[in-house]
């Protein structure tokens, strides 16, 4: 499938009901989401933000651990180096934090969207944020350090509280103090 035809099939108004779609698997697409958040199609970066935003809205991770672009009629497997999404900004209010993803979504850190520590491709434990449909977002380095500045230690774990829920940002290795 070509990206232009996929773009024409979909509506860019928001996240479609992917959980209600069960199309047949159609094969692999030469699309890679790098650990840095770049979308590479057939060896070239996708430069149209509206196209990447739309593709991100139809992306899901299934129980086999693979990532798929899903429409009502087709399901194409793609490659993802780490988490497919990036959290790029955050704003605090009296109750906690709202986080903005690079393609326009805004999530509230809390019980439904709770940071957890997950291994990256280099084996480092870094915060990841559950988003939707099995997808997770990594914190962009700038956002991570901004949150670390306001974080607190609870024993060997560094984090913050949002909507009454502890959000871990890191932890000391055993023996460090």
């Amino acid at each position: 499938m070509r990206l232009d035809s996929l773009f024409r099939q979909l509506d860019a108004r928001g996240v479609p009901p992917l959980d209600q779609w069960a199309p047949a698997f159609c094969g692999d697409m030469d699309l890679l989401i790098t650990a840095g958040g770049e979308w590479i199609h057939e060896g070239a970066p996708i430069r149209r933000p509206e196209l990447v935003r739309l593709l991100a809205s139809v992306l899901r991770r299934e129980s086999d651990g693979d990532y798929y672009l899903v429409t009502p009629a087709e399901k194409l497997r793609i490659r993802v180096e780490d988490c497919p999404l990036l959290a790029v900004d955050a704003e605090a209010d009296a109750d906690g934090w709202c986080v903005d993803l690079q393609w326009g979504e805004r999530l509230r850190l809390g019980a439904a969207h709770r940071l957890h520590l997950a291994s990256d491709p280099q084996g480092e434990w870094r915060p990841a944020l559950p988003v939707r449909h099995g997808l997770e977002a990594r914190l962009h380095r700038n956002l991570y350090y901004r949150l670390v500045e306001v974080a607190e230690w609870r024993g060997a774990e560094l984090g913050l509280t949002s909507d009454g829920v502890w959000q871990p940002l890191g932890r000391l290795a055993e023996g460090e103090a």
Side-chain angles (χ1 to χ4, degrees):
M1 166 175 276
R2 304 220 18 99
L3 285 181
D4 288 336
S5 65
L6 182 64
F7 191 67
R8 284 191 297 275
Q9 284 184 45
L10 300 170
D11 184 347
R13 286 180 287 197
V15 177
L18 299 185
D19 55 332
Q20 298 172 21
W21 297 348
F25 175 67
C26 298
D28 294 322
M29 179 181 224
D30 186 5
L31 179 64
L32 169 69
I33 303 173
T34 69
E38 191 168 31
W39 292 55
I40 310 290
H41 181 249
E42 296 178 348
I46 300 175
R47 299 285 182 216
R48 293 170 47 197
E50 67 277 358
L51 177 56
V52 178
R53 184 176 295 112
L54 182 64
L55 292 173
S57 77
V58 296
L59 180 63
R60 72 181 181 200
R61 188 174 194 188
E62 296 192 352
S63 60
D64 63 5
D66 288 337
Y67 294 87
Y68 298 89
L69 295 176
V70 180
T71 71
E74 295 180 291
K75 179 168 84 170
L76 297 160
R77 183 176 29 230
I78 67 166
R79 294 173 295 133
V80 176
E81 289 181 341
D82 189 21
C83 295
L85 304 172
L86 284 175
V88 294
D89 200 6
E91 184 177 323
D93 61 27
D95 297 318
W97 290 84
C98 287
V99 174
D100 295 323
L101 303 183
Q102 87 265 42
W103 304 116
E105 289 178 74
R106 177 169 262 220
L107 306 172
R108 181 146 190 96
L109 292 181
H113 300 287
R114 182 181 185 272
L115 290 172
H116 64 97
L117 300 177
S119 180
D120 69 11
Q122 290 75 40
E124 299 290 325
W125 290 92
R126 297 178 41 218
L129 175 64
V131 177
R132 58 177 156 68
H133 304 300
L135 302 179
E136 292 188 324
R138 285 282 185 208
L139 301 183
H140 186 278
R141 182 179 309 271
N142 294 342
L143 176 57
Y144 172 76
Y145 285 117
R146 196 168 132 221
L147 294 176
V148 164
E149 287 179 2
V150 298
E152 61 185 87
W153 286 99
R154 285 192 181 171
E157 194 167 72
L158 180 69
L160 48 85
T161 301
S162 181
D163 273 3
V165 178
W166 179 250
Q167 307 287 331
L169 293 168
R171 133 178 350 113
L172 291 175
E174 232 176 275
E176 290 183 333

